[in-house]
Amino acid sequence: MLKIIITISLLFVFTTQVNAQLELKNTPEKKIERLTEHQSNYYDKGDYEKFKLYTDSILQIARKNNLKEIEIDAIIRLGVYYKKKAEYDEALSYYLKALEKSKTIPDTFKKQTVILINAGNIYNVIKDTTRAKASFTEALGYIQKHKGPDIYKMACYIGLGGVASVKKEYEKSLDYHLKAKEIGEKLNRDDIIIAALNNMADNYLNLEKYNNSLESSEKALRLYTNKQSLERRALSLFLKGAALLKLKKYDEGILALQMAQGIAFTNEYQSIQMDTHRKLAEAFEEKGDLKRANIELKQYKKYKELYLKTLSKTDRVLIEQELAEKEEVLARLNNDITKLSSEKKYYLVLGLICIFVLSGILLFYVKRNKLTKLEAIQLKEDRLLLKNENEALKTKIYKLAEQNTSPSNSKENNATSYQKSSLSQEDRELYLKRILEYMETEKPFLDMDIKQSDIAENLSMTVHQFSEVLNVSLKKNFNNFINLYRINEAKKMMKKPEYENYKILAIAYEAGFNSKTSFNRVFKQLVGQTPSEYKQQFG
């Protein structure tokens, strides 16, 4: 009997503790803690609809349980949501509600400061400089009164710098960004310093202090590490290129802009892609190269449309207004191109015909004498590229490019038809990286109708530049280059169980060839076996 009583008592105590723990887990604070974790995850992923869903739930629980500070935080986050959606009036209404509520709670100056900074940034976006300045100034007042953190002060300075820039008070903007930079140095935050230096470089451009702009952008570039934002690095290169163009250092400026363009293309920074094409069009016009200027002008228009399509209606209107102010030079360029005199056109066409004919004659004799030797060398290189299957094709092609551009091969390289090219070795290396990354990620070779011009256009290159990179860096023409990838893809397919029952013709089509005859011929050349013989090894 005693044992039964003891057992029942222990069971009662255990049940009571479990219930207490469950009640603790289900308190409003714990529920909000769990919801906040999901809320943050969805914000980081960019899923703002689910972010709002969890924010609404948190707000409801906070209001029901009179949790004022959490309620204010939720209202602020709803403001963030509507800012991301570019619904600026709605975002401002939430920020102002949060500000009003926070003033009824003691010791909430930090929240009030954050709200004012967020509101000020929206006012800056919609060009309401009066309210933006008032918000940042009020926030600074809270910081100074309560000795708030430097990071808040830095945000205010950057915001006030933006206000001054919109009002074209560039000297004043410089002062604010210099203060933000000093805070970055104090906090040992390179990201803050880089952002401030980029803003300073932009202000110096507007003040026509081009050497100062160049110095600021180069300082920013020296601070970059792998931990820093690639987008900011692309912006620094763009600003450096813009300053160099103003200093009439066109070749250096074009190189910096092309480097910015490479980063922007790889990472899909469409705004920077658009701006670099605009500046490159201006640069080539200044150099008198209207052909390349026209190419860049077309690319600018293309990326402008792509970029504007990603924006909300409100943002689109604001950005179009800004771009209209920057397109005066491009309008002049358009006029220059359309006003080429008929006489110049005649001599230009005649000259091109002469060059074409003479080049054709020269190339005929050169190719006739060297064709056999070059084909043998290229076939040997291609077989080696496809032989070691444990190493990625992109890596092997990089090694081939290094070998072809080494000092021992420099004399031969300089003897190519591209010796008067405007592309430097650095240009070719940058373009080669873009080409190989594009081939690996987009796999254009699988399209049997793909043309050299298609790939060049997608990479914002001229056909001549694309051909030059292949010829000089890899010593290959387009067909040889594309067939390497197709044969490499076919070999991979033949090894995979899911292609075991595929006929040779089906594999040929899957790999990008348009006929069995050409597939068999190229496969035999590059692998040393027919496709059937090779496939039997894995059957």
Side-chain angles (χ1 to χ4, degrees), residues 4-253:
I4 294 172
I5 293 170
I6 292 171
T7 302
I8 292 171
S9 300
L10 289 172
L11 185 60
F12 175 76
V13 171
F14 175 75
T15 304
T16 303
Q17 289 177 341
V18 169
N19 287 335
Q21 289 177 357
L22 287 173
E23 287 178 9
L24 184 62
K25 287 183 179 179
N26 288 319
T27 61
E29 289 83 356
K30 286 294 180 181
K31 286 180 182 178
I32 287 171
E33 187 179 326
R34 290 194 296 274
L35 290 169
T36 301
E37 185 177 347
H38 290 298
Q39 177 201 53
S40 299
N41 287 337
Y42 283 118
Y43 182 85
D44 292 339
K45 291 175 184 176
D47 189 339
Y48 300 119
E49 295 305 321
K50 287 183 179 175
F51 165 78
K52 181 181 182 295
L53 186 67
Y54 281 99
T55 304
D56 286 335
S57 298
I58 292 168
L59 181 59
Q60 187 177 0
I61 295 170
R63 282 175 173 168
K64 184 177 178 180
N65 294 276
N66 200 32
L67 301 171
K68 295 293 186 183
E69 291 200 31
I70 294 173
E71 179 185 355
I72 293 168
D73 287 337
I75 294 172
I76 293 171
R77 281 167 174 75
L78 285 173
V80 171
Y81 165 78
Y82 284 108
K83 181 184 176 185
K84 289 291 182 183
K85 300 285 287 183
E87 295 179 25
Y88 300 122
D89 289 339
E90 195 70 20
L92 278 169
S93 72
Y94 276 99
Y95 286 141
L96 295 176
K97 284 178 190 175
L99 184 62
E100 185 180 346
K101 283 184 176 293
S102 67
K103 288 181 178 179
T104 65
I105 302 173
D107 301 323
T108 56
F109 83 90
K110 282 188 178 181
K111 276 188 174 56
Q112 293 176 48
T113 304
V114 170
I115 295 166
L116 287 164
I117 291 170
N118 278 313
N121 287 330
I122 290 182
Y123 286 131
N124 258 347
V125 170
I126 63 176
K127 304 293 188 272
D128 189 341
T129 54
T130 302
R131 287 192 175 92
K133 184 177 180 181
S135 292
F136 291 124
T137 304
E138 188 176 350
L140 269 178
Y142 281 123
I143 295 165
Q144 290 165 357
K145 180 178 178 181
H146 299 281
K147 297 182 179 179
D150 284 334
I151 198 76
Y152 289 179
K153 194 181 295 184
M154 176 276 301
C156 290
Y157 287 144
I158 288 179
L160 287 167
V163 171
S165 289
V166 170
K167 296 171 73 174
K168 298 185 178 181
E169 297 172 352
Y170 301 118
E171 291 286 1
K172 188 179 289 186
S173 179
L174 274 171
D175 290 339
Y176 284 124
H177 289 301
L178 183 59
K179 289 177 181 178
K181 174 177 167 287
E182 289 169 352
I183 290 174
E185 290 167 347
K186 179 181 175 182
L187 298 175
N188 199 26
R189 289 276 301 272
D190 285 348
D191 57 329
I192 295 173
I193 300 170
I194 290 167
L197 285 168
N198 281 343
N199 285 320
M200 290 168 68
D202 190 38
N203 280 302
Y204 281 128
L205 275 175
N206 288 309
L207 288 167
E208 300 183 4
K209 296 182 178 181
Y210 305 126
N211 283 312
N212 296 97
S213 179
L214 179 61
E215 183 183 356
S216 295
S217 58
E218 287 182 333
K219 280 181 181 178
L221 286 167
R222 285 195 291 272
L223 290 172
Y224 279 102
T225 64
N226 293 333
K227 296 179 181 179
Q228 302 298 334
S229 161
L230 277 172
E231 188 170 10
R232 282 185 181 154
R233 184 168 190 267
L235 179 58
S236 297
L237 285 164
F238 170 78
L239 292 165
K240 177 182 177 180
L244 286 165
L245 295 185
K246 291 295 185 180
L247 292 167
K248 302 193 182 302
K249 297 179 180 181
Y250 298 118
D251 291 338
E252 293 177 58

Side-chain angles (χ1 to χ4, degrees), residues 454-504:
D454 297 333
I455 298 178
E457 182 178 356
N458 287 333
L459 291 171
S460 301
M461 299 167 61
T462 65
V463 174
H464 180 81
Q465 289 171 334
F466 183 85
S467 177
E468 176 179 344
V469 173
L470 296 186
N471 277 272
V472 177
S473 298
L474 304 179
K475 296 185 180 177
K476 299 192 184 305
N477 62 32
F478 177 73
N479 286 333
N480 291 341
F481 178 69
I482 210 79
N483 282 338
L484 270 177
Y485 280 87
R486 287 172 173 166
I487 295 299
N488 190 56
E489 189 71 13
K491 288 175 69 180
K492 289 179 183 178
M493 291 179 187
M494 291 180 189
K495 292 180 182 179
K496 293 179 180 179
E498 57 262 38
Y499 290 94
E500 184 178 352
N501 297 320
Y502 273 50
K503 292 184 178 180
I504 295 299

Side-chain angles (χ1 to χ4, degrees), residues 223-467:
L223 290 172
Y224 279 102
T225 64
N226 293 333
K227 296 179 181 179
Q228 302 298 334
S229 161
L230 277 172
E231 188 170 10
R232 282 185 181 154
R233 184 168 190 267
L235 179 58
S236 297
L237 285 164
F238 170 78
L239 292 165
K240 177 182 177 180
L244 286 165
L245 295 185
K246 291 295 185 180
L247 292 167
K248 302 193 182 302
K249 297 179 180 181
Y250 298 118
D251 291 338
E252 293 177 58
I254 288 169
L255 180 58
L257 290 169
Q258 287 175 333
M259 290 174 69
Q261 192 178 77
I263 296 171
F265 174 83
T266 303
N267 296 278
E268 298 184 351
Y269 303 143
Q270 290 183 339
S271 173
I272 298 177
Q273 274 184 275
M274 174 187 70
D275 285 336
T276 51
H277 283 301
R278 175 173 57 82
K279 278 295 175 187
L280 284 168
E282 294 175 15
F284 287 122
E285 191 220 5
E286 289 292 337
K287 289 189 73 175
D289 190 342
L290 294 183
K291 183 179 178 182
R292 291 187 72 178
N294 193 34
I295 291 169
E296 293 297 339
L297 179 60
K298 289 178 180 177
Q299 289 298 313
Y300 165 73
K301 291 177 179 177
K302 171 186 171 182
Y303 280 102
K304 175 185 172 182
E305 282 306 308
L306 289 174
Y307 175 57
L308 291 175
K309 284 178 183 177
T310 67
L311 303 176
S312 67
K313 289 182 180 179
T314 306
D315 280 343
R316 184 180 179 117
V317 170
L318 293 169
I319 294 298
E320 284 178 333
Q321 289 173 353
E322 288 182 15
L323 291 176
E325 297 176 6
K326 298 177 181 178
E327 291 178 353
E328 293 178 7
V329 176
L330 297 185
R332 188 181 73 238
L333 171 58
N334 239 347
N335 291 333
D336 287 345
I337 292 169
T338 55
K339 288 179 181 177
L340 275 173
S341 66
S342 57
E343 184 180 351
K344 286 183 179 179
K345 287 182 181 178
Y346 170 77
Y347 285 116
L348 179 62
V349 172
L350 183 63
L352 288 172
I353 291 172
C354 291
I355 291 170
F356 179 77
V357 172
L358 291 173
S359 299
I361 295 170
L362 178 63
L363 284 172
F364 173 77
Y365 285 106
V366 170
K367 284 184 176 180
R368 190 177 66 176
N369 293 329
K370 293 186 176 181
L371 185 59
T372 304
K373 180 182 176 182
L374 287 174
E375 285 182 345
I377 293 171
Q378 288 177 357
L379 183 59
K380 183 178 178 181
E381 287 178 349
D382 291 348
R383 285 188 173 184
L384 287 172
L385 286 172
L386 293 172
K387 190 173 183 181
N388 182 7
E389 296 173 359
N390 293 322
E391 190 174 15
L393 182 59
K394 184 172 81 170
T395 305
K396 290 184 279 189
I397 292 176
Y398 271 134
K399 289 181 179 178
L400 175 63
E402 290 175 0
Q403 176 185 327
N404 288 340
T405 54
S406 64
S408 60
N409 289 319
S410 61
K411 185 176 180 181
E412 185 178 350
N413 288 337
N414 289 336
T416 69
S417 60
Y418 295 100
Q419 68 181 47
K420 291 185 178 180
S421 167
S422 62
L423 291 182
S424 66
Q425 179 59 32
E426 289 79 11
D427 293 336
R428 285 194 286 268
E429 288 174 359
L430 179 63
Y431 280 136
L432 179 62
K433 180 179 178 183
R434 288 166 62 182
I435 291 169
L436 296 185
E437 286 179 352
Y438 183 78
M439 295 294 289
E440 186 172 74
T441 56
E442 301 299 324
K443 298 185 183 296
F445 52 87
L446 298 180
D447 179 2
M448 61 179 65
D449 296 321
I450 195 70
K451 298 188 291 294
Q452 187 171 212
S453 57
D454 297 333
I455 298 178
E457 182 178 356
N458 287 333
L459 291 171
S460 301
M461 299 167 61
T462 65
V463 174
H464 180 81
Q465 289 171 334
F466 183 85
S467 177

